[in-house]
Amino acid sequence: MRSRLFPGAAALALAACLTGLTACGSSGSSDDGAGDGADAAKPAGLTVWIMRDSVSDAFLSRFRTDFEATHKGTTLDIQIQEWDGIGQKITSALASKDAPDVMEVGNTQVAQYAASGGVKDLTGKVADLEGADWIPGLAEPGKIDGKQYGIPWYAANRVVIYNKDLFAKAGITTPPKTRDEWIADTTKLNTGGDDGIYLTGQTWYALAGFIWDEGGDLAVKGADGSWKGTLDTPQAKAGMAFYKQLQALGKGPKDSDEAKPPQADVFAKGRSAQIISVPGGADAITKANPAMKGKIGFFPIPGKSADKPGAVFTGGSDLVIPEASRHQAQAYEVVRALAGATWQTDMAKTMSYVPNRTSLAGVLAGNPGASVMAVGAANGHATPNSPNWAAVEANNPIKQYMTQVLTGADPDAAAKTASDAITKALNTAS
């Protein structure tokens, strides 16, 4: 499943990572040779699957040349995969005896694939990979039942894109840093026919962030292994109440998401002061209206206090090693290189992604949108780590709940109905 919120080729790759698919762990051992020095030194022909537009051809060329030069006799066959239909292709490959050696997968898809038993447990390599420095919201989806199957590769999350001219017109010289400031500024902006914010009624990833800020979640796993939808908790209701307050300060439709119509097209008309989007949304805005160039700014989604940005969903990709790889030790060397500081820095600068390590956020300092995204990533989260989360999104009761609340339905009854639907979906065998 894919959310179509990201303009541009590289951004489309991230779109596949911003919906949640999760599952349980596999039975692979964490220390059966991957990365052992002697085995890793043996020459091998490795097959690596990378998703279409995740990184540029130039980046891959540089990486291949360097890796082969530093691992004499080893060659990399980097095969580009299409997002459409990739789920079944990966599932089939993991079940085969001739799987590729390294695969890129959407970070929230790791658990789904690990459930098959075909993904190698790399828990024993986390320290070697400096896992303590990983962005939590990107690392968490790759960790199932205490075992690390997916190694974080790159991240992206939403920020607030704003119209500098409209902010100046309203006398706002500094972007808000707290929710209270955000509401006050958006109220000032919502005058004279301008939209204080263009926020649709079903931008549910933004709602998830507000719920996380309140200490709630979309669903939780009980001690008995069962799942329960939690939109009816006080914390989730508080997040929805804030969403309703913010959404009312604009003219966004209450019964659709940010793709209907494309919010970048709406913002490009110059009458909306803000949208919640990945920074790449700015490219779509200027493409739709070149006159907007130079008028676009970015700031992190504000949190409840100025010392911490608002919570955001962290999308991105992980690297996994199939159990069926014939060269697991050498495959680990590929993962270690791609996830290491050198190539993380190169990729961040090349692709404007947030690197997998919090200590590398500074490499984006010269990129206004990406550097703001990196600030928000420090408070990144993931969707519930259930093997059936895809079933929730298929008939998304969260969107239905949001529209009901925004159009006057009893919020308590709507929250209970949505929570029950989530509970049923998460506890139904797939």
Side-chain angles (χ1 to χ4, degrees):
M1 301 193 316
R2 201 174 344 168
S3 169
R4 299 182 182 278
L5 310 183
F6 307 93
L12 286 174
L14 286 174
C17 310
L18 290 177
T19 55
L21 294 172
T22 51
C24 15
S26 79
S27 58
S29 167
S30 64
D31 60 355
D32 58 356
D36 290 346
D39 289 340
K42 295 178 181 178
L46 304 179
T47 300
V48 180
W49 282 8
I50 300 295
M51 300 309 302
R52 172 75 63 188
D53 297 324
S54 280
V55 289
S56 67
D57 291 342
F59 172 88
L60 290 175
S61 178
R62 288 196 300 274
F63 176 76
R64 179 193 291 111
T65 298
D66 180 82
F67 189 88
E68 292 180 351
T70 54
H71 297 77
K72 297 298 184 182
T74 294
T75 59
L76 299 184
D77 177 15
I78 299 177
Q79 299 178 2
I80 303 302
Q81 305 297 314
E82 303 294 338
W83 285 107
D84 288 341
I86 190 59
Q88 183 56 53
K89 187 171 183 177
I90 289 177
T91 299
S92 298
L94 293 175
S96 74
K97 295 182 180 179
D98 189 28
D101 300 288
V102 177
M103 291 176 169
E104 174 195 353
V105 300
N107 66 319
T108 56
Q109 298 172 335
V110 175
Q112 176 194 15
Y113 301 136
S116 69
V119 178
K120 186 170 182 59
D121 174 8
L122 294 171
T123 307
K125 303 302 177 185
V126 171
D128 182 49
L129 295 166
E130 300 186 39
D133 195 23
W134 288 339
I135 295 171
L138 186 60
E140 288 166 5
K143 188 175 184 179
I144 302 96
D145 295 334
K147 297 180 179 180
Q148 194 78 40
Y149 296 93
I151 304 305
W153 192 22
Y154 62 80
N157 50 266
R158 290 163 175 80
V159 301
V160 180
I161 295 178
Y162 73 98
N163 184 318
K164 293 180 179 179
D165 285 356
L166 295 184
F167 268 57
K169 178 181 174 182
I172 302 170
T173 57
T174 304
K177 292 185 177 180
T178 68
R179 279 192 188 180
D180 289 342
E181 292 175 358
W182 197 15
I183 291 294
D185 286 349
T186 305
T187 301
K188 291 180 184 177
L189 292 159
N190 194 38
T191 58
D194 295 327
D195 254 347
I197 185 169
Y198 181 80
L199 179 61
T200 70
Q202 297 182 351
T203 306
W204 70 277
Y205 282 115
L207 170 63
F210 301 154
I211 291 173
W212 290 324
D213 276 337
E214 297 289 348
D217 209 332
L218 305 176
V220 296
K221 187 177 183 180
D224 62 354
S226 66
W227 285 86
K228 178 176 175 55
T230 51
L231 291 179
D232 55 347
T233 62
Q235 296 87 350
K237 290 178 183 178
M240 184 65 221
F242 178 74
Y243 189 100
K244 183 177 182 179
Q245 182 183 14
L246 184 64
Q247 201 272 339
L249 296 174
K251 302 180 179 68
K254 294 177 170 57
D255 60 352
S256 65
D257 62 25
E258 57 268 52
K260 305 171 188 174
Q263 64 175 356
D265 291 348
V266 176
F267 188 88
K269 296 176 181 178
R271 300 304 300 272
S272 298
Q274 307 168 83
I275 57 173
I276 297 174
S277 170
V278 292
D283 296 332
I285 292 166
T286 55
K287 182 177 180 180
N289 181 7
M292 289 294 295
K293 188 174 182 180
K295 299 180 180 181
I296 297 173
F298 311 86
F299 61 87
I301 293 175
K304 298 187 73 173
S305 61
D307 62 339
K308 187 177 183 180
V312 291
F313 170 70
T314 304
S317 278
D318 277 20
L319 299 169
V320 301
I321 298 175
E323 287 282 12
S325 165
R326 299 176 182 177
H327 312 288
Q328 291 187 359
Q330 296 92 332
Y332 173 72
E333 294 301 310
V334 173
V335 171
R336 181 162 61 176
L338 286 171
T342 297
W343 290 103
Q344 283 291 301
T345 299
D346 187 312
M347 182 168 60
K349 291 181 177 180
T350 299
M351 306 302 300
S352 296
Y353 291 155
V354 176
N356 63 9
R357 304 184 186 192
T358 58
S359 63
L360 294 178
V363 304
L364 296 170
N367 185 321
S371 60
V372 166
M373 183 167 64
V375 172
N379 194 12
H381 294 252
T383 49
N385 210 5
S386 162
N388 292 332
W389 184 251
V392 175
E393 292 194 20
N395 190 37
N396 206 322
I398 305 171
K399 288 186 173 184
Q400 300 166 30
Y401 158 66
M402 295 171 72
T403 293
Q404 289 172 348
V405 173
L406 295 176
T407 54
D410 177 3
D412 292 340
K416 179 66 166 58
T417 298
S419 294
D420 288 347
I422 293 172
T423 298
K424 182 178 180 180
L426 293 182
N427 292 301
T428 300
S430 57

